[in-house]
Amino acid sequence: MSDPAANLSPLADTVQVLAFDIFGTVVDWHGSIVRELQALVPDVDADAFATAWRAGYAPAMAAVMRGEQPWTLIDALHRQILETLLPRFGLAHLHEAARAHLNRVWHRLQPWPDSVAGLGQLKQRFIVVSLSNGNLDLLTRMAKRAGLPWDAVLSAEVFRAYKPDPATYLGVARTFDVPPDAVMLVAAHHDDLAGARACGLRTAYIERPLEFGAARPKDVSPRAENDLHAASLTDLARQLGASGPDAATGAPWNT
């Protein structure tokens, strides 16, 4: 019988905190928005709408970071982007209640099939926290609805800085009073991981080939600069020794 402990990453014994990117890594933003929009307005091109909404995300945050507008929560930025999209997609007729409900779709994003189980396994051995540009209200309501078992909800709102500002990554280490290399960022985006790595954090890439929908598959090939590469959060739990009954103590187990 093989010894599962022999296949563990050495980081299993040095990392204490796993900080997770959320949109695309833990939850399926594209599929969730497409499903809700199709139910609300069946005739719209929901795939193109979801893609365009997300495309406005980085430029909106950049405007805040450049000081062109004051600190703004992601909920408000999402609404600003939404208001520009509605006329483009023939939806200018939507009334305020429908617009507000649609904007809160970001609170209702569905987890990927492996996310809840993977987080539950990882939580046996590590502190698991969100580290998202999403605001606290959004992340908390999303977690409660989706059953995401965070030990803590951290957000750009806490640090008043959007990723990849070092204040976000280093803020996690300060929050838990650990050195940066005791924190691992888990994300499906290489730019996010690069920002974390520049601050001394460990990094794990998660494959989400369908983040942008089936029509736009992502290249999820491994990159040498990341410490770990996993097909899913349950795969990451396996690599970090958090998928067995004795994961809380780090003791080996048999399968």
Side-chain angles (χ1 to χ4, degrees), residues 125-164:
R125 185 164 186 158
F126 305 96
I127 295 171
V128 295
V129 303
S130 63
L131 183 61
S132 171
N133 287 328
N135 48 285
L136 290 170
D137 180 35
L138 182 160
L139 295 171
T140 302
R141 293 180 186 277
M142 177 198 294
K144 190 167 185 65
R145 188 174 189 274
L148 303 174
W150 303 122
D151 288 310
V153 175
L154 295 182
S155 140
E157 183 180 355
V158 174
F159 309 115
R160 294 187 70 83
Y162 294 125
K163 296 184 294 179

PDB file of all heavy atoms in Angstrom, residues 125-164:
ATOM      1  N   ARG A 125      -6.879  21.488   7.892  1.00  0.00           N
ATOM      2  CA  ARG A 125      -5.448  21.598   8.174  1.00  0.00           C
ATOM      3  C   ARG A 125      -4.950  23.044   8.166  1.00  0.00           C
ATOM      4  O   ARG A 125      -3.918  23.333   8.784  1.00  0.00           O
ATOM      5  CB  ARG A 125      -4.679  20.777   7.140  1.00  0.00           C
ATOM      6  CG  ARG A 125      -3.184  20.717   7.385  1.00  0.00           C
ATOM      7  CD  ARG A 125      -2.540  19.596   6.594  1.00  0.00           C
ATOM      8  NE  ARG A 125      -1.122  19.447   6.923  1.00  0.00           N
ATOM      9  CZ  ARG A 125      -0.421  18.349   6.734  1.00  0.00           C
ATOM     10  NH1 ARG A 125      -1.000  17.278   6.228  1.00  0.00           N
ATOM     11  NH2 ARG A 125       0.858  18.294   7.054  1.00  0.00           N
ATOM     12  N   PHE A 126      -5.631  23.941   7.457  1.00  0.00           N
ATOM     13  CA  PHE A 126      -5.154  25.310   7.274  1.00  0.00           C
ATOM     14  C   PHE A 126      -6.250  26.312   7.647  1.00  0.00           C
ATOM     15  O   PHE A 126      -7.432  25.976   7.679  1.00  0.00           O
ATOM     16  CB  PHE A 126      -4.759  25.550   5.806  1.00  0.00           C
ATOM     17  CG  PHE A 126      -3.750  24.578   5.289  1.00  0.00           C
ATOM     18  CD1 PHE A 126      -4.162  23.441   4.579  1.00  0.00           C
ATOM     19  CD2 PHE A 126      -2.389  24.761   5.504  1.00  0.00           C
ATOM     20  CE1 PHE A 126      -3.229  22.531   4.096  1.00  0.00           C
ATOM     21  CE2 PHE A 126      -1.461  23.859   5.029  1.00  0.00           C
ATOM     22  CZ  PHE A 126      -1.872  22.739   4.327  1.00  0.00           C
ATOM     23  N   ILE A 127      -5.849  27.551   7.891  1.00  0.00           N
ATOM     24  CA  ILE A 127      -6.788  28.665   7.952  1.00  0.00           C
ATOM     25  C   ILE A 127      -7.147  29.006   6.514  1.00  0.00           C
ATOM     26  O   ILE A 127      -6.260  29.228   5.682  1.00  0.00           O
ATOM     27  CB  ILE A 127      -6.163  29.882   8.657  1.00  0.00           C
ATOM     28  CG1 ILE A 127      -5.878  29.562  10.126  1.00  0.00           C
ATOM     29  CG2 ILE A 127      -7.071  31.103   8.548  1.00  0.00           C
ATOM     30  CD1 ILE A 127      -5.063  30.633  10.827  1.00  0.00           C
ATOM     31  N   VAL A 128      -8.432  29.036   6.207  1.00  0.00           N
ATOM     32  CA  VAL A 128      -8.867  29.337   4.843  1.00  0.00           C
ATOM     33  C   VAL A 128      -9.663  30.641   4.856  1.00  0.00           C
ATOM     34  O   VAL A 128     -10.622  30.790   5.616  1.00  0.00           O
ATOM     35  CB  VAL A 128      -9.687  28.185   4.215  1.00  0.00           C
ATOM     36  CG1 VAL A 128      -8.821  26.951   4.042  1.00  0.00           C
ATOM     37  CG2 VAL A 128     -10.917  27.851   5.035  1.00  0.00           C
ATOM     38  N   VAL A 129      -9.237  31.587   4.021  1.00  0.00           N
ATOM     39  CA  VAL A 129      -9.870  32.911   3.992  1.00  0.00           C
ATOM     40  C   VAL A 129     -10.056  33.355   2.553  1.00  0.00           C
ATOM     41  O   VAL A 129      -9.326  32.937   1.655  1.00  0.00           O
ATOM     42  CB  VAL A 129      -9.016  33.952   4.752  1.00  0.00           C
ATOM     43  CG1 VAL A 129      -8.769  33.509   6.187  1.00  0.00           C
ATOM     44  CG2 VAL A 129      -7.690  34.220   4.045  1.00  0.00           C
ATOM     45  N   SER A 130     -11.031  34.204   2.355  1.00  0.00           N
ATOM     46  CA  SER A 130     -11.175  34.846   1.045  1.00  0.00           C
ATOM     47  C   SER A 130     -10.193  36.003   0.961  1.00  0.00           C
ATOM     48  O   SER A 130      -9.848  36.620   1.973  1.00  0.00           O
ATOM     49  CB  SER A 130     -12.602  35.368   0.862  1.00  0.00           C
ATOM     50  OG  SER A 130     -12.888  36.372   1.827  1.00  0.00           O
ATOM     51  N   LEU A 131      -9.714  36.282  -0.239  1.00  0.00           N
ATOM     52  CA  LEU A 131      -8.952  37.502  -0.510  1.00  0.00           C
ATOM     53  C   LEU A 131      -9.379  37.974  -1.887  1.00  0.00           C
ATOM     54  O   LEU A 131      -8.788  37.627  -2.908  1.00  0.00           O
ATOM     55  CB  LEU A 131      -7.445  37.277  -0.457  1.00  0.00           C
ATOM     56  CG  LEU A 131      -6.631  38.568  -0.662  1.00  0.00           C
ATOM     57  CD1 LEU A 131      -6.928  39.582   0.428  1.00  0.00           C
ATOM     58  CD2 LEU A 131      -5.143  38.287  -0.732  1.00  0.00           C
ATOM     59  N   SER A 132     -10.424  38.772  -1.885  1.00  0.00           N
ATOM     60  CA  SER A 132     -11.077  39.173  -3.129  1.00  0.00           C
ATOM     61  C   SER A 132     -11.194  40.682  -3.193  1.00  0.00           C
ATOM     62  O   SER A 132     -11.219  41.360  -2.167  1.00  0.00           O
ATOM     63  CB  SER A 132     -12.480  38.553  -3.187  1.00  0.00           C
ATOM     64  OG  SER A 132     -13.236  39.070  -4.262  1.00  0.00           O
ATOM     65  N   ASN A 133     -11.296  41.200  -4.399  1.00  0.00           N
ATOM     66  CA  ASN A 133     -11.612  42.611  -4.560  1.00  0.00           C
ATOM     67  C   ASN A 133     -13.086  42.889  -4.277  1.00  0.00           C
ATOM     68  O   ASN A 133     -13.489  44.041  -4.146  1.00  0.00           O
ATOM     69  CB  ASN A 133     -11.246  43.080  -5.969  1.00  0.00           C
ATOM     70  CG  ASN A 133      -9.748  43.198  -6.155  1.00  0.00           C
ATOM     71  OD1 ASN A 133      -9.020  43.517  -5.229  1.00  0.00           O
ATOM     72  ND2 ASN A 133      -9.277  42.926  -7.371  1.00  0.00           N
ATOM     73  N   GLY A 134     -13.885  41.839  -4.180  1.00  0.00           N
ATOM     74  CA  GLY A 134     -15.274  42.012  -3.796  1.00  0.00           C
ATOM     75  C   GLY A 134     -15.400  42.599  -2.404  1.00  0.00           C
ATOM     76  O   GLY A 134     -14.540  42.372  -1.543  1.00  0.00           O
ATOM     77  N   ASN A 135     -16.490  43.326  -2.153  1.00  0.00           N
ATOM     78  CA  ASN A 135     -16.668  43.941  -0.841  1.00  0.00           C
ATOM     79  C   ASN A 135     -17.219  42.928   0.167  1.00  0.00           C
ATOM     80  O   ASN A 135     -17.659  41.833  -0.195  1.00  0.00           O
ATOM     81  CB  ASN A 135     -17.552  45.190  -0.933  1.00  0.00           C
ATOM     82  CG  ASN A 135     -18.810  44.972  -1.725  1.00  0.00           C
ATOM     83  OD1 ASN A 135     -18.775  44.901  -2.959  1.00  0.00           O
ATOM     84  ND2 ASN A 135     -19.941  44.850  -1.037  1.00  0.00           N
ATOM     85  N   LEU A 136     -17.186  43.305   1.441  1.00  0.00           N
ATOM     86  CA  LEU A 136     -17.526  42.375   2.514  1.00  0.00           C
ATOM     87  C   LEU A 136     -18.972  41.907   2.441  1.00  0.00           C
ATOM     88  O   LEU A 136     -19.258  40.722   2.680  1.00  0.00           O
ATOM     89  CB  LEU A 136     -17.241  43.020   3.870  1.00  0.00           C
ATOM     90  CG  LEU A 136     -15.759  43.223   4.198  1.00  0.00           C
ATOM     91  CD1 LEU A 136     -15.622  44.083   5.455  1.00  0.00           C
ATOM     92  CD2 LEU A 136     -15.045  41.881   4.389  1.00  0.00           C
ATOM     93  N   ASP A 137     -19.886  42.798   2.154  1.00  0.00           N
ATOM     94  CA  ASP A 137     -21.289  42.414   2.045  1.00  0.00           C
ATOM     95  C   ASP A 137     -21.458  41.371   0.953  1.00  0.00           C
ATOM     96  O   ASP A 137     -22.082  40.317   1.155  1.00  0.00           O
ATOM     97  CB  ASP A 137     -22.136  43.654   1.757  1.00  0.00           C
ATOM     98  CG  ASP A 137     -23.614  43.344   1.628  1.00  0.00           C
ATOM     99  OD1 ASP A 137     -24.109  42.451   2.350  1.00  0.00           O
ATOM    100  OD2 ASP A 137     -24.291  43.989   0.800  1.00  0.00           O
ATOM    101  N   LEU A 138     -20.897  41.622  -0.207  1.00  0.00           N
ATOM    102  CA  LEU A 138     -20.977  40.687  -1.331  1.00  0.00           C
ATOM    103  C   LEU A 138     -20.401  39.325  -0.945  1.00  0.00           C
ATOM    104  O   LEU A 138     -21.040  38.284  -1.136  1.00  0.00           O
ATOM    105  CB  LEU A 138     -20.221  41.278  -2.527  1.00  0.00           C
ATOM    106  CG  LEU A 138     -20.185  40.523  -3.848  1.00  0.00           C
ATOM    107  CD1 LEU A 138     -19.839  41.489  -4.989  1.00  0.00           C
ATOM    108  CD2 LEU A 138     -19.195  39.370  -3.854  1.00  0.00           C
ATOM    109  N   LEU A 139     -19.195  39.315  -0.398  1.00  0.00           N
ATOM    110  CA  LEU A 139     -18.508  38.053  -0.102  1.00  0.00           C
ATOM    111  C   LEU A 139     -19.204  37.268   0.996  1.00  0.00           C
ATOM    112  O   LEU A 139     -19.271  36.035   0.947  1.00  0.00           O
ATOM    113  CB  LEU A 139     -17.060  38.332   0.280  1.00  0.00           C
ATOM    114  CG  LEU A 139     -16.186  38.915  -0.821  1.00  0.00           C
ATOM    115  CD1 LEU A 139     -14.836  39.345  -0.244  1.00  0.00           C
ATOM    116  CD2 LEU A 139     -15.978  37.916  -1.953  1.00  0.00           C
ATOM    117  N   THR A 140     -19.718  37.973   1.994  1.00  0.00           N
ATOM    118  CA  THR A 140     -20.384  37.292   3.103  1.00  0.00           C
ATOM    119  C   THR A 140     -21.697  36.673   2.648  1.00  0.00           C
ATOM    120  O   THR A 140     -22.012  35.518   2.980  1.00  0.00           O
ATOM    121  CB  THR A 140     -20.629  38.272   4.256  1.00  0.00           C
ATOM    122  OG1 THR A 140     -19.376  38.828   4.670  1.00  0.00           O
ATOM    123  CG2 THR A 140     -21.280  37.572   5.441  1.00  0.00           C
ATOM    124  N   ARG A 141     -22.486  37.420   1.894  1.00  0.00           N
ATOM    125  CA  ARG A 141     -23.752  36.881   1.404  1.00  0.00           C
ATOM    126  C   ARG A 141     -23.521  35.732   0.422  1.00  0.00           C
ATOM    127  O   ARG A 141     -24.262  34.742   0.415  1.00  0.00           O
ATOM    128  CB  ARG A 141     -24.588  37.983   0.766  1.00  0.00           C
ATOM    129  CG  ARG A 141     -25.081  39.031   1.769  1.00  0.00           C
ATOM    130  CD  ARG A 141     -25.900  40.116   1.112  1.00  0.00           C
ATOM    131  NE  ARG A 141     -26.240  41.160   2.050  1.00  0.00           N
ATOM    132  CZ  ARG A 141     -27.267  41.114   2.902  1.00  0.00           C
ATOM    133  NH1 ARG A 141     -28.035  40.046   2.921  1.00  0.00           N
ATOM    134  NH2 ARG A 141     -27.510  42.116   3.716  1.00  0.00           N
ATOM    135  N   MET A 142     -22.504  35.871  -0.417  1.00  0.00           N
ATOM    136  CA  MET A 142     -22.162  34.789  -1.339  1.00  0.00           C
ATOM    137  C   MET A 142     -21.799  33.523  -0.569  1.00  0.00           C
ATOM    138  O   MET A 142     -22.270  32.425  -0.886  1.00  0.00           O
ATOM    139  CB  MET A 142     -20.994  35.201  -2.227  1.00  0.00           C
ATOM    140  CG  MET A 142     -20.511  34.107  -3.167  1.00  0.00           C
ATOM    141  SD  MET A 142     -18.854  34.445  -3.805  1.00  0.00           S
ATOM    142  CE  MET A 142     -19.145  35.899  -4.784  1.00  0.00           C
ATOM    143  N   ALA A 143     -20.951  33.680   0.456  1.00  0.00           N
ATOM    144  CA  ALA A 143     -20.499  32.521   1.226  1.00  0.00           C
ATOM    145  C   ALA A 143     -21.664  31.838   1.934  1.00  0.00           C
ATOM    146  O   ALA A 143     -21.763  30.600   1.952  1.00  0.00           O
ATOM    147  CB  ALA A 143     -19.448  32.959   2.244  1.00  0.00           C
ATOM    148  N   LYS A 144     -22.549  32.634   2.510  1.00  0.00           N
ATOM    149  CA  LYS A 144     -23.682  32.052   3.230  1.00  0.00           C
ATOM    150  C   LYS A 144     -24.601  31.290   2.291  1.00  0.00           C
ATOM    151  O   LYS A 144     -25.071  30.203   2.602  1.00  0.00           O
ATOM    152  CB  LYS A 144     -24.454  33.158   3.955  1.00  0.00           C
ATOM    153  CG  LYS A 144     -25.498  32.635   4.931  1.00  0.00           C
ATOM    154  CD  LYS A 144     -25.988  33.728   5.838  1.00  0.00           C
ATOM    155  CE  LYS A 144     -26.950  33.179   6.905  1.00  0.00           C
ATOM    156  NZ  LYS A 144     -26.268  32.250   7.829  1.00  0.00           N
ATOM    157  N   ARG A 145     -24.842  31.869   1.125  1.00  0.00           N
ATOM    158  CA  ARG A 145     -25.740  31.235   0.154  1.00  0.00           C
ATOM    159  C   ARG A 145     -25.131  29.976  -0.450  1.00  0.00           C
ATOM    160  O   ARG A 145     -25.817  28.984  -0.672  1.00  0.00           O
ATOM    161  CB  ARG A 145     -26.080  32.243  -0.951  1.00  0.00           C
ATOM    162  CG  ARG A 145     -27.156  31.791  -1.920  1.00  0.00           C
ATOM    163  CD  ARG A 145     -27.501  32.924  -2.882  1.00  0.00           C
ATOM    164  NE  ARG A 145     -28.667  32.608  -3.684  1.00  0.00           N
ATOM    165  CZ  ARG A 145     -28.632  31.920  -4.822  1.00  0.00           C
ATOM    166  NH1 ARG A 145     -27.473  31.472  -5.273  1.00  0.00           N
ATOM    167  NH2 ARG A 145     -29.739  31.679  -5.499  1.00  0.00           N
ATOM    168  N   ALA A 146     -23.832  30.035  -0.730  1.00  0.00           N
ATOM    169  CA  ALA A 146     -23.172  28.928  -1.429  1.00  0.00           C
ATOM    170  C   ALA A 146     -22.594  27.882  -0.481  1.00  0.00           C
ATOM    171  O   ALA A 146     -22.161  26.825  -0.929  1.00  0.00           O
ATOM    172  CB  ALA A 146     -22.057  29.475  -2.315  1.00  0.00           C
ATOM    173  N   GLY A 147     -22.552  28.186   0.820  1.00  0.00           N
ATOM    174  CA  GLY A 147     -21.989  27.236   1.777  1.00  0.00           C
ATOM    175  C   GLY A 147     -20.475  27.207   1.777  1.00  0.00           C
ATOM    176  O   GLY A 147     -19.871  26.166   2.056  1.00  0.00           O
ATOM    177  N   LEU A 148     -19.841  28.347   1.483  1.00  0.00           N
ATOM    178  CA  LEU A 148     -18.374  28.403   1.468  1.00  0.00           C
ATOM    179  C   LEU A 148     -17.885  28.545   2.912  1.00  0.00           C
ATOM    180  O   LEU A 148     -18.192  29.536   3.575  1.00  0.00           O
ATOM    181  CB  LEU A 148     -17.900  29.586   0.623  1.00  0.00           C
ATOM    182  CG  LEU A 148     -18.408  29.603  -0.826  1.00  0.00           C
ATOM    183  CD1 LEU A 148     -17.988  30.898  -1.520  1.00  0.00           C
ATOM    184  CD2 LEU A 148     -17.905  28.386  -1.594  1.00  0.00           C
ATOM    185  N   PRO A 149     -17.106  27.596   3.410  1.00  0.00           N
ATOM    186  CA  PRO A 149     -16.806  27.528   4.845  1.00  0.00           C
ATOM    187  C   PRO A 149     -15.573  28.322   5.272  1.00  0.00           C
ATOM    188  O   PRO A 149     -14.624  27.777   5.856  1.00  0.00           O
ATOM    189  CB  PRO A 149     -16.594  26.026   5.069  1.00  0.00           C
ATOM    190  CG  PRO A 149     -15.942  25.565   3.789  1.00  0.00           C
ATOM    191  CD  PRO A 149     -16.599  26.392   2.698  1.00  0.00           C
ATOM    192  N   TRP A 150     -15.569  29.620   5.037  1.00  0.00           N
ATOM    193  CA  TRP A 150     -14.396  30.419   5.378  1.00  0.00           C
ATOM    194  C   TRP A 150     -14.166  30.481   6.890  1.00  0.00           C
ATOM    195  O   TRP A 150     -15.119  30.535   7.671  1.00  0.00           O
ATOM    196  CB  TRP A 150     -14.558  31.849   4.864  1.00  0.00           C
ATOM    197  CG  TRP A 150     -14.792  31.984   3.402  1.00  0.00           C
ATOM    198  CD1 TRP A 150     -15.853  32.568   2.780  1.00  0.00           C
ATOM    199  CD2 TRP A 150     -13.932  31.516   2.347  1.00  0.00           C
ATOM    200  NE1 TRP A 150     -15.725  32.494   1.423  1.00  0.00           N
ATOM    201  CE2 TRP A 150     -14.559  31.860   1.117  1.00  0.00           C
ATOM    202  CE3 TRP A 150     -12.714  30.837   2.324  1.00  0.00           C
ATOM    203  CZ2 TRP A 150     -13.985  31.545  -0.120  1.00  0.00           C
ATOM    204  CZ3 TRP A 150     -12.157  30.528   1.087  1.00  0.00           C
ATOM    205  CH2 TRP A 150     -12.787  30.873  -0.106  1.00  0.00           C
ATOM    206  N   ASP A 151     -12.897  30.537   7.277  1.00  0.00           N
ATOM    207  CA  ASP A 151     -12.545  30.881   8.651  1.00  0.00           C
ATOM    208  C   ASP A 151     -12.656  32.389   8.855  1.00  0.00           C
ATOM    209  O   ASP A 151     -12.915  32.845   9.978  1.00  0.00           O
ATOM    210  CB  ASP A 151     -11.114  30.423   8.971  1.00  0.00           C
ATOM    211  CG  ASP A 151     -11.016  28.911   9.099  1.00  0.00           C
ATOM    212  OD1 ASP A 151     -11.832  28.325   9.826  1.00  0.00           O
ATOM    213  OD2 ASP A 151     -10.118  28.316   8.460  1.00  0.00           O
ATOM    214  N   ALA A 152     -12.436  33.159   7.809  1.00  0.00           N
ATOM    215  CA  ALA A 152     -12.570  34.611   7.861  1.00  0.00           C
ATOM    216  C   ALA A 152     -12.811  35.113   6.451  1.00  0.00           C
ATOM    217  O   ALA A 152     -12.355  34.506   5.470  1.00  0.00           O
ATOM    218  CB  ALA A 152     -11.310  35.262   8.444  1.00  0.00           C
ATOM    219  N   VAL A 153     -13.517  36.226   6.349  1.00  0.00           N
ATOM    220  CA  VAL A 153     -13.760  36.872   5.059  1.00  0.00           C
ATOM    221  C   VAL A 153     -12.896  38.128   5.005  1.00  0.00           C
ATOM    222  O   VAL A 153     -13.137  39.086   5.740  1.00  0.00           O
ATOM    223  CB  VAL A 153     -15.250  37.225   4.875  1.00  0.00           C
ATOM    224  CG1 VAL A 153     -15.461  37.994   3.579  1.00  0.00           C
ATOM    225  CG2 VAL A 153     -16.100  35.960   4.890  1.00  0.00           C
ATOM    226  N   LEU A 154     -11.876  38.090   4.156  1.00  0.00           N
ATOM    227  CA  LEU A 154     -11.029  39.254   3.923  1.00  0.00           C
ATOM    228  C   LEU A 154     -11.284  39.764   2.512  1.00  0.00           C
ATOM    229  O   LEU A 154     -11.572  38.980   1.605  1.00  0.00           O
ATOM    230  CB  LEU A 154      -9.550  38.912   4.100  1.00  0.00           C
ATOM    231  CG  LEU A 154      -9.104  38.499   5.503  1.00  0.00           C
ATOM    232  CD1 LEU A 154      -7.607  38.234   5.526  1.00  0.00           C
ATOM    233  CD2 LEU A 154      -9.475  39.557   6.532  1.00  0.00           C
ATOM    234  N   SER A 155     -11.140  41.060   2.364  1.00  0.00           N
ATOM    235  CA  SER A 155     -11.503  41.701   1.106  1.00  0.00           C
ATOM    236  C   SER A 155     -10.664  42.943   0.916  1.00  0.00           C
ATOM    237  O   SER A 155     -10.079  43.486   1.861  1.00  0.00           O
ATOM    238  CB  SER A 155     -13.000  42.046   1.164  1.00  0.00           C
ATOM    239  OG  SER A 155     -13.304  43.284   0.613  1.00  0.00           O
ATOM    240  N   ALA A 156     -10.632  43.413  -0.315  1.00  0.00           N
ATOM    241  CA  ALA A 156      -9.991  44.691  -0.596  1.00  0.00           C
ATOM    242  C   ALA A 156     -10.555  45.792   0.291  1.00  0.00           C
ATOM    243  O   ALA A 156      -9.847  46.746   0.649  1.00  0.00           O
ATOM    244  CB  ALA A 156     -10.195  45.055  -2.068  1.00  0.00           C
ATOM    245  N   GLU A 157     -11.824  45.661   0.653  1.00  0.00           N
ATOM    246  CA  GLU A 157     -12.452  46.659   1.515  1.00  0.00           C
ATOM    247  C   GLU A 157     -11.731  46.779   2.856  1.00  0.00           C
ATOM    248  O   GLU A 157     -11.608  47.876   3.410  1.00  0.00           O
ATOM    249  CB  GLU A 157     -13.919  46.296   1.741  1.00  0.00           C
ATOM    250  CG  GLU A 157     -14.682  47.303   2.570  1.00  0.00           C
ATOM    251  CD  GLU A 157     -16.138  46.922   2.777  1.00  0.00           C
ATOM    252  OE1 GLU A 157     -16.596  45.919   2.191  1.00  0.00           O
ATOM    253  OE2 GLU A 157     -16.820  47.635   3.537  1.00  0.00           O
ATOM    254  N   VAL A 158     -11.240  45.657   3.385  1.00  0.00           N
ATOM    255  CA  VAL A 158     -10.534  45.665   4.667  1.00  0.00           C
ATOM    256  C   VAL A 158      -9.260  46.500   4.571  1.00  0.00           C
ATOM    257  O   VAL A 158      -8.924  47.261   5.485  1.00  0.00           O
ATOM    258  CB  VAL A 158     -10.188  44.228   5.107  1.00  0.00           C
ATOM    259  CG1 VAL A 158      -9.327  44.233   6.368  1.00  0.00           C
ATOM    260  CG2 VAL A 158     -11.469  43.421   5.336  1.00  0.00           C
ATOM    261  N   PHE A 159      -8.553  46.367   3.464  1.00  0.00           N
ATOM    262  CA  PHE A 159      -7.254  47.017   3.288  1.00  0.00           C
ATOM    263  C   PHE A 159      -7.352  48.309   2.485  1.00  0.00           C
ATOM    264  O   PHE A 159      -6.341  49.001   2.313  1.00  0.00           O
ATOM    265  CB  PHE A 159      -6.292  46.040   2.612  1.00  0.00           C
ATOM    266  CG  PHE A 159      -6.240  44.703   3.298  1.00  0.00           C
ATOM    267  CD1 PHE A 159      -6.690  43.549   2.663  1.00  0.00           C
ATOM    268  CD2 PHE A 159      -5.761  44.596   4.596  1.00  0.00           C
ATOM    269  CE1 PHE A 159      -6.662  42.311   3.300  1.00  0.00           C
ATOM    270  CE2 PHE A 159      -5.730  43.365   5.247  1.00  0.00           C
ATOM    271  CZ  PHE A 159      -6.188  42.220   4.600  1.00  0.00           C
ATOM    272  N   ARG A 160      -8.551  48.619   1.977  1.00  0.00           N
ATOM    273  CA  ARG A 160      -8.789  49.795   1.135  1.00  0.00           C
ATOM    274  C   ARG A 160      -7.763  49.863   0.002  1.00  0.00           C
ATOM    275  O   ARG A 160      -7.177  50.912  -0.301  1.00  0.00           O
ATOM    276  CB  ARG A 160      -8.783  51.084   1.976  1.00  0.00           C
ATOM    277  CG  ARG A 160      -9.944  51.142   2.948  1.00  0.00           C
ATOM    278  CD  ARG A 160     -10.041  52.478   3.661  1.00  0.00           C
ATOM    279  NE  ARG A 160     -10.460  53.541   2.761  1.00  0.00           N
ATOM    280  CZ  ARG A 160     -11.729  53.805   2.434  1.00  0.00           C
ATOM    281  NH1 ARG A 160     -12.702  53.048   2.899  1.00  0.00           N
ATOM    282  NH2 ARG A 160     -12.030  54.820   1.630  1.00  0.00           N
ATOM    283  N   ALA A 161      -7.584  48.723  -0.615  1.00  0.00           N
ATOM    284  CA  ALA A 161      -6.681  48.590  -1.761  1.00  0.00           C
ATOM    285  C   ALA A 161      -7.131  47.382  -2.564  1.00  0.00           C
ATOM    286  O   ALA A 161      -7.517  46.358  -1.993  1.00  0.00           O
ATOM    287  CB  ALA A 161      -5.238  48.413  -1.306  1.00  0.00           C
ATOM    288  N   TYR A 162      -7.101  47.510  -3.870  1.00  0.00           N
ATOM    289  CA  TYR A 162      -7.446  46.393  -4.740  1.00  0.00           C
ATOM    290  C   TYR A 162      -6.191  45.599  -5.090  1.00  0.00           C
ATOM    291  O   TYR A 162      -5.108  46.158  -5.259  1.00  0.00           O
ATOM    292  CB  TYR A 162      -8.071  46.896  -6.045  1.00  0.00           C
ATOM    293  CG  TYR A 162      -9.412  47.567  -5.891  1.00  0.00           C
ATOM    294  CD1 TYR A 162      -9.630  48.851  -6.380  1.00  0.00           C
ATOM    295  CD2 TYR A 162     -10.466  46.907  -5.274  1.00  0.00           C
ATOM    296  CE1 TYR A 162     -10.870  49.465  -6.259  1.00  0.00           C
ATOM    297  CE2 TYR A 162     -11.703  47.514  -5.151  1.00  0.00           C
ATOM    298  CZ  TYR A 162     -11.899  48.791  -5.631  1.00  0.00           C
ATOM    299  OH  TYR A 162     -13.115  49.391  -5.509  1.00  0.00           O
ATOM    300  N   LYS A 163      -6.351  44.277  -5.188  1.00  0.00           N
ATOM    301  CA  LYS A 163      -5.267  43.492  -5.768  1.00  0.00           C
ATOM    302  C   LYS A 163      -4.977  44.013  -7.170  1.00  0.00           C
ATOM    303  O   LYS A 163      -5.920  44.374  -7.885  1.00  0.00           O
ATOM    304  CB  LYS A 163      -5.660  42.004  -5.827  1.00  0.00           C
ATOM    305  CG  LYS A 163      -5.877  41.357  -4.481  1.00  0.00           C
ATOM    306  CD  LYS A 163      -6.162  39.862  -4.609  1.00  0.00           C
ATOM    307  CE  LYS A 163      -7.475  39.577  -5.310  1.00  0.00           C
ATOM    308  NZ  LYS A 163      -7.745  38.128  -5.445  1.00  0.00           N
ATOM    309  N   PRO A 164      -3.707  44.076  -7.572  1.00  0.00           N
ATOM    310  CA  PRO A 164      -2.512  43.496  -6.951  1.00  0.00           C
ATOM    311  C   PRO A 164      -1.725  44.442  -6.047  1.00  0.00           C
ATOM    312  O   PRO A 164      -0.504  44.291  -5.941  1.00  0.00           O
ATOM    313  CB  PRO A 164      -1.673  43.109  -8.169  1.00  0.00           C
ATOM    314  CG  PRO A 164      -1.962  44.201  -9.154  1.00  0.00           C
ATOM    315  CD  PRO A 164      -3.432  44.538  -8.942  1.00  0.00           C
TER     316      PRO A 164
END
